[in-house]
Amino acid sequence: MDILIVLPVLIPFATSIVMLLCWSRRDIHRFLNVVGAVLLLIASLVLLNSVAHNGVHATQLGNWPAPFGISFVADLFSAIMVVIAGLTAVVGAVYSLGSMDQARERFGYYPLLHTMFMGICGAFLTGDIFNLYVWFEVLLISSFVLMALGGERAQLEGSIKYVTLNLLSSALFLSAVGILYGAVGTLNMADLAQQLSLLDQPGIVLTLAMLFLVAFGIKAAIFPLFAWLPASYHTPPIAVSAIFAGLLTKVGVYSLIRVFSLLFVQNITLTHGLILILAGLTMVTGVLGAVAQNEFRRVLAFHSISQIGYMIMGLGLFTQLALAGAIFYIMHHTVVKMNLFLVSGIVHRLRGSYELKDLGDVYKTHPWLAILFLISAFSLAGFPPLFGFWAKLMLVQAGLQAEHYVIAATALLVGLLTAFSMAKIWAEAFWKKAPTPAQPNTRNLGFMVAPVVGLTLITIAVGLVTQPFYDLMVDAANQLADPSAYIAAVQSASLALR
Amino acid sequence: MYSLILATATRLLIPLMLIFSIFLLIRGHNEPGGGFVGGLVVGAAFTLYAAVYGVSQAQNALRFDPKRIVAVGLLVALVSGLLAFFQGLPLMTGLWYPQPLPVIGKVGTPLLFDVGVYLVVIGITATIMFTLFEVEGE
Amino acid sequence: MEFIWAIVIGALYAAGLYMIMRRSIVKIILGLALLGYAANLLIFIVSNLTRGNPPLVPPGATAPIAPYADPLPQALILTAIVIGFGVQAFTIVLFRRAYRSFGADDIDELRTTER
């Protein structure tokens, strides 16, 4: 039980060490890349299964008891996020086999990828807020290199913006951690949850809440802090874009949900009300930005922002159904948004461009690809009976139950606009007659198509068999809404030490 | 630019710096020092060497590919953390050999972890330095 | 004493933010570095400055000799410095490559990724 929590960190770590040891062997890198990702997925599923059956898991690193040592905690929410990370790893690993160029593979693309997954899983599992900062830096620095790797002009430009704003966010995060320690004298999240509720200094607590909101808000790309995302996410190779859009911003969303459900619940009307307003603005600005774009990947990047709004909306409503909807939406968005990015990569292979005006004819030449795209696009817009429909339904229903009619209406309207811009991609890239003939490059295309098919099957399957997932999400949301199980798990892990 | 004075001084300084770095590494557990500063001192020594004799000479003097040094360092750190797990204790618990060794003092997994950090820092500083010097030399 | 430090830290934050908003990419690096220092100093000051003994239990005793310094902020800052060192080294290399690729030290030139 103890090792299960740390395995999702240890597996990618060991994978990248072995890759570093045989640096010049590209074939070994490619092989280990898939093995490491599959092992990560298996470990994450075992962890989720164990958490679902035995309750929250916690362990104390280095045999030091709780407020002093670093806790690793896996509640259902963390475990679900780790499973999402494992799924992303497998999909990204297989797709990279087909799409990554040799130069990047030689410069350590695969070890970097796995180092990033180590950071991501660490961020999901840690129970100590300073340790969260450290994991953030681990995943950030790997993502910086992944984004700049290859050194094309657009990439360097995107990286500068990405790096600058993320470092600003890290500095704010660090400052907030410092003030938090000064005010409360502990950094263990379970301990913080108890101490903060006893602290009678609403001014400092509110300041801290806002600092964390801005710091994580930049990383999650919420309104008005998202400018770096559409300026950078489309510049690296498509496998990297897909992993970033699918998973990296979710680490910010995860941290927001964790901090605003465990620590800052003293003044819900103010903090969560503000989050709800930001959620609405994020949805609307993101989708309007997407409507104005004419490049496949940039449309998708702007859509990511609008979808982040839905997840934050679940947090802002802060009812159990809303939190469950938010977690479900995170799952849905990772699957679907990754899939759409991956499809854009295949279209680029077939037509040689990402600009919508240069594309066309894909439906005529490759109808199967057009159908794969449509399923994901419909799911993103929230058409029944796909994955996205249920996620959106939960959120809208939660909005209506909480009598926040404006946000519920916004969510529906944004769904409509999403469908509109997906229709634009469909008409431009798949339906219309192509302006120029293209030479499709089909080398290793199988590696690129297989993950797309897999993700599409998940989209359909979760849409058809929703009940078990729904129950899981509700359980996870109950653990978030009532953190006593989380706190008790950390305490009993400390008591069990020898 | 080659300077005779700097070159002669470097010859004397580098062995001293390397010995000092190992001293820092070993005393690091209970007193000021440790793997990180030790590694930085080695990094400084190689930067000095590269400044005097050029990057390619420094790369030869380092013998190993810096990436490999990083990898071995990470591996050592990972093993030092896992040893406790194989004893049935939580990950990264400090295990100590009961008898202090002559000169070095008490030996345990924290020292092993520090050795890992030491190697990682050497590898990373060497990589950074070689990258920056190469950009300069283009 | 804390009052003076509060002003110093505030000035560091202000200088860092100001530098980040300049057009030159070199100044952005300096700004990020200043923000990092400001955050580190903030942790140090916010968690009470004490001149005390090392927080180690002497042989034969059961508690460290009071007044002892809180070791945690120092550990946090040390970690943050190490991370900052790595991140800054990477940032400098990245910005240098970008400078060589664009031939300009002006953020306003970097517009091709957001038409």
Side-chain angles (χ1 to χ4, degrees):
Chain A
M1 167 160 160
D2 173 39
I3 193 77
L4 270 185
I5 310 177
V6 275
L7 265 187
V9 177
L10 291 183
I11 290 171
F13 187 40
T15 312
S16 58
I17 290 177
V18 180
M19 284 180 178
L20 275 174
L21 279 173
C22 40
W23 178 258
S24 50
R25 295 291 303 275
R26 201 168 65 90
D27 48 340
I28 296 184
H29 279 200
R30 286 166 67 91
F31 173 69
L32 279 178
N33 160 48
V34 176
V35 173
V38 170
L39 284 179
L40 176 61
L41 180 61
I42 294 172
S44 65
L45 287 171
V46 174
L47 176 65
L48 177 61
N49 182 47
S50 178
V51 173
H53 287 104
N54 308 331
V56 184
H57 286 17
T59 186
Q60 293 296 123
L61 292 186
N63 216 4
W64 298 101
F68 312 110
I70 290 171
S71 310
F72 257 53
V73 193
D75 63 351
L76 270 175
F77 182 36
S78 295
I80 290 169
M81 294 307 291
V82 174
V83 170
I84 293 174
L87 180 69
T88 314
V90 172
V91 168
V94 176
Y95 194 85
S96 301
L97 290 183
S99 66
M100 200 48 59
D101 52 295
Q102 289 203 11
R104 287 194 176 85
E105 288 184 336
R106 289 229 167 77
F107 266 96
Y109 168 72
Y110 293 119
L112 281 166
L113 197 60
H114 285 269
T115 316
M116 188 172 84
F117 279 113
M118 171 176 92
I120 290 172
C121 292
F124 289 153
L125 289 171
T126 186
D128 182 283
I129 204 145
F130 186 75
N131 199 233
L132 180 65
Y133 168 78
V134 175
W135 289 120
F136 256 114
E137 296 302 299
V138 171
L139 75 90
L140 273 183
I141 195 145
S142 341
S143 74
F144 291 165
V145 187
L146 279 175
M147 182 162 269
L149 193 68
E152 289 161 23
R153 194 192 150 115
Q155 272 187 291
L156 292 174
E157 220 181 292
S159 306
I160 287 186
K161 294 163 189 170
Y162 178 71
V163 167
T164 309
L165 281 168
N166 272 294
L167 289 184
L168 177 65
S169 136
S170 293
L172 287 173
F173 185 7
L174 188 60
S175 313
V177 169
I179 300 175
L180 186 63
Y181 182 72
V184 191
T186 176
L187 292 172
N188 186 290
M189 290 207 252
D191 199 26
L192 275 172
Q194 292 173 304
Q195 304 285 339
L196 272 174
S197 59
L198 302 175
L199 191 70
D200 191 27
Q201 287 175 302
I204 284 193
V205 175
L206 189 63
T207 312
L208 282 168
M210 291 303 113
L211 271 174
F212 278 109
L213 180 62
V214 175
F216 293 143
I218 294 179
K219 294 189 198 286
I222 64 174
F223 179 87
L225 309 164
F226 59 72
W228 57 272
L229 192 148
S232 62
Y233 263 22
H234 63 288
T235 57
I238 201 75
V240 179
S241 295
I243 295 171
F244 281 18
L247 194 58
L248 219 51
T249 37
K250 306 296 186 305
V251 187
V253 177
Y254 165 84
S255 312
L256 274 177
I257 295 183
R258 176 66 76 206
V259 164
F260 280 93
S261 67
L262 189 59
L263 307 186
F264 301 112
V265 286
Q266 294 80 11
N267 192 351
I268 288 180
T269 353
L270 182 60
T271 51
H272 291 64
L274 178 64
I275 292 174
L276 198 59
I277 295 170
L278 291 177
L281 290 169
T282 312
M283 278 187 231
V284 174
T285 43
V287 84
L288 289 180
V291 170
Q293 296 302 318
N294 286 308
E295 209 253 39
F296 206 144
R297 295 171 299 175
R298 279 179 65 82
V299 177
L300 296 179
F302 264 106
H303 267 298
S304 300
I305 298 169
S306 119
Q307 309 292 316
I308 295 290
Y310 284 96
M311 302 161 206
I312 302 298
M313 166 185 164
L315 175 62
L317 291 169
F318 207 60
T319 59
Q320 286 173 8
L321 183 64
L323 284 172
I327 304 172
F328 206 34
Y329 211 94
I330 293 177
M331 257 180 90
H332 156 251
H333 184 250
T334 305
V335 170
V336 169
K337 182 47 60 72
M338 257 190 100
N339 209 4
L340 289 171
F341 263 103
L342 300 182
V343 168
S344 85
I346 299 178
V347 170
H348 178 257
R349 269 297 193 79
L350 299 174
R351 306 289 322 175
S353 175
Y354 288 111
E355 293 291 335
L356 288 179
K357 67 176 173 7
D358 300 333
L359 295 173
D361 269 348
V362 177
Y363 177 68
K364 206 162 74 189
T365 54
H366 300 85
W368 50 270
L369 185 61
I371 291 179
L372 291 175
F373 169 82
L374 264 193
I375 293 171
S376 289
F378 280 167
S379 180
L380 191 70
F383 286 19
L386 296 163
F387 198 162
F389 168 72
W390 301 106
K392 230 166 242 186
L393 184 70
M394 283 164 86
L395 284 171
V396 171
Q397 203 189 347
L400 293 177
Q401 273 179 11
E403 300 186 348
H404 285 288
Y405 298 115
V406 179
I407 195 85
T410 316
L412 289 173
L413 180 74
V414 170
L416 205 65
L417 286 170
T418 309
F420 169 71
S421 67
M422 285 297 131
K424 184 169 92 176
I425 295 183
W426 167 258
E428 292 283 323
F430 293 89
W431 193 251
K432 87 169 185 234
K433 208 168 153 37
T436 48
Q439 282 82 42
N441 170 6
T442 53
R443 199 177 62 83
N444 280 344
L445 202 64
F447 284 130
M448 296 168 72
V449 174
V452 174
V453 174
L455 287 176
T456 311
L457 288 178
I458 293 177
T459 313
I460 299 172
V462 179
L464 295 178
V465 194
T466 321
Q467 195 59 42
F469 293 95
Y470 176 83
D471 295 340
L472 190 66
M473 299 306 141
V474 170
D475 287 348
N478 285 337
Q479 283 183 0
L480 283 178
D482 174 21
S484 56
Y486 188 97
I487 297 168
V490 174
Q491 283 169 343
S492 70
S494 301
L495 288 176
L497 294 180
R498 277 174 272 163
Chain B
M1 192 192 69
Y2 182 80
S3 146
L4 185 65
I5 298 173
L6 189 58
T8 317
T10 306
R11 271 180 199 289
L12 286 172
L13 272 174
I14 284 185
L16 280 178
M17 289 169 92
L18 294 182
I19 293 170
F20 181 57
S21 81
I22 291 175
F23 167 72
L24 283 175
L25 166 66
I26 290 171
R27 85 199 285 258
H29 187 64
N30 281 332
E31 285 179 80
F36 185 74
V37 265
L40 278 185
V41 171
V42 178
F46 271 96
T47 313
L48 190 62
Y49 195 88
V52 175
Y53 299 104
V55 179
S56 49
Q57 284 286 332
Q59 271 165 332
N60 286 340
L62 193 61
R63 301 251 172 100
F64 301 100
D65 181 4
K67 287 184 275 292
R68 189 147 293 181
I69 300 178
V70 173
V72 173
L74 290 174
L75 192 64
V76 170
L78 179 64
V79 168
S80 80
L82 280 177
L83 279 178
F85 172 70
F86 293 125
Q87 301 271 325
L89 292 163
L91 217 63
M92 300 185 79
T93 306
L95 301 173
W96 294 95
Y97 187 72
Q99 238 57 46
L101 299 183
V103 186
I104 300 177
K106 279 187 100 176
V107 181
T109 50
L111 182 65
L112 197 61
F113 186 81
D114 247 4
V115 172
V117 173
Y118 180 77
L119 291 174
V120 172
V121 173
I122 293 175
I124 297 271
T125 42
T127 314
I128 294 172
M129 178 189 64
F130 292 152
T131 317
L132 284 175
F133 270 105
E134 268 163 20
V135 172
E136 197 81 52
E138 264 171 31
Chain C
M1 193 62 187
E2 261 109 8
F3 180 71
I4 300 170
W5 277 112
I7 290 173
V8 170
I9 294 167
L12 273 176
Y13 272 109
L17 285 174
Y18 174 68
M19 290 298 249
I20 283 187
M21 288 185 279
R22 302 287 293 273
R23 280 166 64 182
S24 153
I25 52 178
V26 178
K27 287 174 183 148
I28 293 179
I29 299 181
L30 293 177
L32 290 172
L34 284 177
L35 277 182
Y37 301 146
N40 287 340
L41 265 178
L42 179 75
I43 298 179
F44 198 52
I45 304 306
V46 151
S47 45
N48 289 334
L49 276 179
T50 32
R51 267 185 88 87
N53 298 307
L56 295 173
V57 183
T62 51
I65 305 160
Y68 57 91
D70 184 355
L72 193 75
Q74 298 173 27
L76 300 187
I77 295 168
L78 194 63
T79 316
I81 288 175
V82 171
I83 292 173
F85 166 74
V87 170
Q88 267 172 38
F90 170 77
T91 320
I92 290 169
V93 173
L94 171 75
F95 281 39
R96 266 192 79 119
R97 287 201 57 182
Y99 172 70
R100 295 172 82 85
S101 162
F102 309 141
D105 177 33
D106 187 351
I107 281 294
D108 283 2
E109 301 281 314
L110 309 185
R111 283 199 178 145
T112 54
T113 63
E114 33 197 331
R115 275 151 301 149

